[in-house]
Amino acid sequence: MNAIPMRLSALLALLSLAACASTPPPVAPPPEPEPPARPVDPSDPPERDFAVVDDGTVRLEATPEIPAEVRDRLRQYLNTRSASLADVAPDGQSLLVLTRFGETRQLHHVASMMGARTQLTFGDEPVGGASFYPNDPDAVLVKADVGGNEQHQLSRLDLKTGRTTRLTDGKSRNQTPVWSRAGDRLAWASTARNGKDFDIWVGDGVHPESAKLVHEVSGLWYPLDWAPGDKRLLIGHYVSINESELFVLDLEGGALTRLSPEAPKASYQSAAFGRGGATVYATSDRDGEFVVLYEVDVASGAWKPLTQHIPWDVSEVAVSPDGRTVALVTNEDGFSQLRLLDARSRKLRIVEGIPRGVISGLTFARRDDVLAFTAGTPTSTGDAYTLKLRGNKLGRWTASEMGGLDAAGLVEPSLVRFPTFDDHDIPAIYYRPKGEGPFPVLVNIHGGPESQARPFFSALTQYLVSERGIAVLYPNVRGSNGYGKSYLLLDNGRKREDSVKDIGALLDWIAAQPELDAGRVGVMGGSYGGYMVLASLVHYADRLKAGLDVVGISSFVTFLENTSAYRQDLRRAEYGDERDPEMRAFLQDISPLNRVDAVKSALFVAQGANDPRVPEGEGRQIVDAVRATGADVWYMLARNEGHGFAKKVNRDTLYLLAALFFEKHLLGP
């Protein structure tokens, strides 16, 4: 948790679409006896001529029983699991990792490379992050929410007694905790004051009563790093994906000094103090299309670019405790490249030997020259690694289980580009089945909308491609991150449906590929990707067989009115302000909820009842509206989930139903 925060997606844990596109779900425990029927809830929709199964936690409407053969075929894929780095010990000799051996992701300690994972937490809810206490080997800091509500709380876990002390108020949202250099204080962002604005708080990390509000703000602010001496705090202010700011806060006098210039408006993302605190290393797109690493002189305010020759975004940065090495990850067409910068010579070198895929979570040990991180590939789940700077020794700490699957039999994707209506080339990740085809196709659209489809391992994708012969395409339509500032802005405001037109262009591209069957195409996506699914079903009803919408937006107006208070202005900056009459009319016009008569394809909607981002009503209203046209709609509601499906039994159910849904409509007669 002391890794430097990146884009808002990292800060808000935004897109939790791992439920559909990244970390694979595991398999449910043996079935328990049938619970008694749940009492009728007056808020439930009237039951018509579709089957309803409701155990009080998960409600399924109109979904068929999952055949045993489907469960058997998916069993190995559902049993894969991953390990992600939470923190590296101050001496670099052990790691904290997040992995799942039961129902949810929990915290584990790994004492040696490829050693046993010792489980430290045993809660019902997944752990969202953790860190070592810098000066106490018998304690760890844990971050977790309840039921996916994203009201994360910080707690101190005593490893000797197993007792947990909650450090936050139990009801606010708390995030981005950063330990001081001395390790005796903790800074974090919290909505504790009013439930909406993210103020900066500081405490000792031991006693809840020590927590003090040190900087009251309006909007989303967050701590980034402590200066040497621990008298100054580097903090960020997020306005939108294209606008953010950096400041230095004097913790003794309270003075706030702006580090990023007022003009031009730009995105300032990662930042950390260099050696002695006289410099800051920060990433920004202030001078061009891509996010560049800069060296900033704090006294003069001069910004010196260090990676402007690399035509890709710097996606993550960490600075070694002695300030001599800056580690950075570049996002190159979705694939990660780790580099090390010598702070004195400013020379860069590429770190070789890391599996080609996605690297995240860069974290230096506090008292050793060890860099830790997570790495995963399209054909293997994530694992924890370290790099010993002296000697350039790369070490792998975990080998996550692949459920008995042979990784050699899984499909490596290729990168393709297809032309769209205004001569832009749209990038996509393409998983092609073995054989000649023609193959049915599933288009999987990421959320955000400023996220990016990247080559993570996906259990569902590998199953559909490897076992069922369904090609899978992940397009990065306009508005996606990773392809430059101009590309990111192409779908804003009244240009919203231009991204939907990119899906139409992809359907044209599919029709031109001899190995693909344009007559059997489905679409799926989550969050904003769920909106894209619904919009695609509206615009391309005669070209799509089926669509799966996971926690998706069905009406921009009701979404903006009902999303969590702290998110409303952030989302209005992207979609438009529904309080303006003209913009409201536009948003109503493009919302799928108001165009359900055009939907002719099969529809499956999955929703979490505790979703603070896309409220449950977004799914419920589109299901009811499409059903009113006489269509058959599958619906899954998980009452113990939020923006995605974090619990294994729920995610298994979603994956099994998704596989059955697309097999029926893409492989059936």
Side-chain angles (χ1 to χ4, degrees), residues 22 53 64 112 223 252 306 323 355 362 446 448 453 484 507 514 540 644 656:
S22 56
V53 177
S112 61
E252 294 184 341
L306 301 175
L362 296 183
H446 68 71
L507 296 177
Y540 310 113
L656 288 162

Side-chain angles (χ1 to χ4, degrees), residues 413-430:
S414 59
L415 297 173
V416 299
R417 280 177 164 75
F418 59 91
T420 190
F421 68 96
D422 57 359
D423 297 327
H424 282 90
D425 282 336
I426 307 299
I429 301 172
Y430 177 26

Side-chain angles (χ1 to χ4, degrees), residues 142-159:
V142 178
K143 183 181 80 170
D145 69 353
V146 176
N149 65 6
E150 299 187 9
Q151 299 297 95
H152 297 105
Q153 303 303 311
L154 304 179
S155 301
R156 180 184 184 275
L157 172 62
D158 187 310
L159 298 179

